Amino acid sequence: VQLVESGGGLVQPGGSLRLSCAASGRTFNDYTMGWFRLAPGKEREWVAGIRSRGGGPYYADSVKRRFTISRDNAKDTMYLQMNSLEPEDTGVYYCAARSGILITGSLGLTNQYPYWGQGTQVTVSS
């Protein structure tokens, strides 16, 4: 499956962005999906996940109540609505996919996802 992210940009603290991840090549609703981010000087961090056919969602503690992950299987697209953005949210955001189901404890493991997008930059700064 091929993944293409979009929607990143520069936003002031407290602002919002909506990221999209368009998938192609396979049956999208069979895939467990995740959002990850990579900040300068840090390791890639899991942000949120949603299982195939909509199971979930699940969030990292750092983004709970601010971010919302969703998927539209009819459009083969996953979204990440990001509100109340903070400078600490700055980074390159990646979507990732794997066929089938992951147990909750494995949703945040990068080695469980064989398919990755190219990333989209999110910068939160005044």
Side-chain angles (χ1 to χ4, degrees):
V1 63
Q2 292 78 44
L3 304 172
V4 179
E5 303 96 335
S6 61
L10 172 64
V11 63
Q12 292 186 342
S16 298
L17 282 174
R18 188 194 196 202
L19 305 184
S20 298
C21 172
S24 61
R26 299 293 293 271
T27 305
F28 179 70
N29 61 7
D30 287 340
Y31 281 76
T32 292
M33 305 293 294
W35 285 102
F36 292 76
R37 65 187 180 190
L38 181 62
K42 295 185 178 181
E43 294 186 354
R44 192 170 297 196
E45 173 191 23
W46 175 73
V47 174
I50 188 165
R51 291 202 180 100
S52 57
R53 307 182 191 279
Y58 304 90
Y59 300 97
D61 288 343
S62 59
V63 305
K64 279 181 180 177
R65 292 176 292 280
R66 299 190 298 122
F67 290 11
T68 302
I69 186 174
S70 61
R71 64 192 296 164
D72 186 337
N73 290 336
K75 296 182 178 180
D76 293 348
T77 302
M78 176 178 67
Y79 305 97
L80 186 68
Q81 177 67 43
M82 305 186 294
N83 299 328
S84 302
L85 282 162
E86 304 168 351
E88 293 74 22
D89 296 317
T90 294
V92 180
Y93 282 69
Y94 299 88
C95 65
R98 67 160 285 147
S99 179
I101 297 174
L102 278 176
I103 61 173
T104 304
S106 295
L107 285 169
L109 300 178
T110 57
N111 62 7
Q112 296 297 310
Y113 296 86
Y115 305 106
W116 292 83
Q118 82 290 349
T120 185
Q121 176 70 44
V122 172
T123 303
V124 185
S125 176
S126 55

